Amino acid sequence: MTKPNIDNKKILVFTGAGISAESGLQTFRDGGGLWEGCDVMEVASPGGWAKDPGHVLSFYNSRRMEAAQAQPNAAHLAVATLEKKYEVMVVTQNVDDLHERAGSTRVIHVHGQLNFARSCVDETLIYPIGDKPIHLGDVCEKGSQLRPHIVWFGEKIHHYDVARDFICQASRVLAVGTSLSVYPIAGLLKKARGRAEKIVLAPDIEKKPYGFNWFRGKATHLVPIITERWLSGLRVDQLK
Ligand code: OAD
């Protein structure tokens, strides 16, 4: 199959919990992160939901409230400015809506969204709930319990094909604040083109994805520098 042409106007920004850390939201795997001292499968798997839905609802009700109170930071805002000159797709593993509130208009949530609830019997029944909690007994129009609109371990991620088609055409790819440890989405970066300018930004990473430059530091410091360069039509390699 022939590959699509690279489009100089297209930028894919791939984000994880680290971009929202400086907005006060905990990451998952850093020291003191959400998964420290927490059995992931109890709150983020269909088995955990079957065992104790009340516990799962309470976990995500807290996350939803925290996310609603957080504000977009300089990194989210800088990503949004790229739309002044480029066609940008933000592919985020985050379940908060800080990219949207910063002004990004094309945001793909591959792991779901806190501010939606969905039916347990029909995954096409999705309801906006803002910052409101979901309680046991809250039901969809088919009478079945509502659950968080979150992708749990073992469930299919959302919109992967849309993200893959875009990254294949992107001339610039920026990955920010992700440990790249959760598959299949971490494998998306392998689809970036050899000729594209590719950057991964985080204080620490275990393994740099092939062909990417690693910028070591915090999102609010480095993302605005990178986006300024791109808005000026420049590469960012020399900043290292
Ligand atoms: P992780 O907690 O695994 O990784 C967060 C990354 O952000 C780490 O590489 C940190 O070094 C980096 N980081 C921390 N502070 C930062 C800052 N101020 N600026 C830039 N980077 C910073 O979070 P994710 O990779 O997003 O899935 O986790 C992926 C998935 O694992 C989540 O979507 C979630 C979780 O299980 C589900 O719940 C389905």
Side-chain angles (χ1 to χ4, degrees):
M1 206 171 73
T2 52
K3 288 188 175 169
N5 291 332
I6 292 193
D7 185 337
N8 246 334
K9 285 271 176 210
K10 288 192 169 141
I11 298 183
L12 184 128
V13 181
F14 178 59
T15 64
I19 197 167
S20 297
E22 291 166 88
S23 292
L25 300 179
Q26 281 171 283
T27 64
F28 295 94
R29 295 175 183 79
D30 291 309
L34 280 169
W35 291 159
E36 193 174 279
C38 165
D39 181 344
V40 183
M41 293 320 228
E42 277 187 8
V43 293
S45 77
W49 173 251
K51 199 169 120 202
D52 191 348
H55 178 53
V56 175
L57 290 177
S58 154
F59 177 81
Y60 288 102
N61 287 343
S62 301
R63 304 284 81 73
R64 188 176 304 106
M65 190 57 75
E66 287 162 8
Q69 283 164 1
Q71 297 303 321
N73 65 43
H76 299 103
L77 293 166
V79 168
T81 64
L82 287 170
E83 293 190 20
K84 285 192 243 167
K85 187 164 175 180
Y86 295 99
E87 198 184 320
V88 182
M89 180 178 285
V90 178
V91 177
T92 187
Q93 298 163 92
N94 296 345
V95 291
D96 64 56
D97 63 349
L98 294 178
H99 282 299
E100 287 91 338
R101 285 199 269 138
S104 286
T105 59
R106 201 170 177 194
V107 185
I108 304 286
H109 287 269
V110 289
H111 287 164
Q113 290 170 274
L114 280 169
N115 50 2
F116 288 84
R118 85 162 195 249
S119 162
C120 280
V121 291
D122 181 346
E123 63 184 48
T124 66
L125 295 177
I126 299 165
Y127 306 91
I129 54 168
D131 63 353
K132 303 283 178 300
I134 308 174
H135 299 295
L136 284 177
D138 291 346
V139 293
C140 73
E141 65 215 57
K142 292 187 175 171
S144 151
Q145 175 66 43
L146 288 175
R147 56 164 273 182
H149 184 45
I150 301 288
V151 175
W152 289 327
F153 288 97
E155 295 185 323
K156 193 170 180 288
I157 63 170
H158 300 161
H159 315 301
Y160 179 79
D161 293 355
V162 182
R164 183 208 50 216
D165 290 351
F166 195 94
I167 201 170
C168 289
Q169 298 171 52
S171 59
R172 296 168 177 85
V173 177
L174 171 62
V176 185
T178 171
S179 60
L180 296 172
S181 56
V182 174
Y183 282 80
I185 195 59
L188 178 72
L189 297 185
K190 290 203 181 91
K191 305 286 179 194
R193 300 292 284 276
R195 280 199 293 115
E197 183 172 9
K198 299 183 282 291
I199 297 166
V200 58
L201 187 171
D204 294 296
I205 46 170
E206 274 192 15
K207 189 166 180 270
K208 185 170 72 66
Y210 179 77
F212 277 69
N213 270 320
W214 177 28
F215 282 67
R216 180 177 200 158
K218 293 196 167 184
T220 57
H221 174 56
L222 289 174
V223 176
I225 295 173
I226 291 166
T227 54
E228 276 285 307
R229 298 277 297 188
W230 282 349
L231 286 167
S232 307
L234 301 168
R235 291 182 65 92
V236 291
D237 320 45
Q238 303 89 326
L239 288 172
K240 285 195 83 185

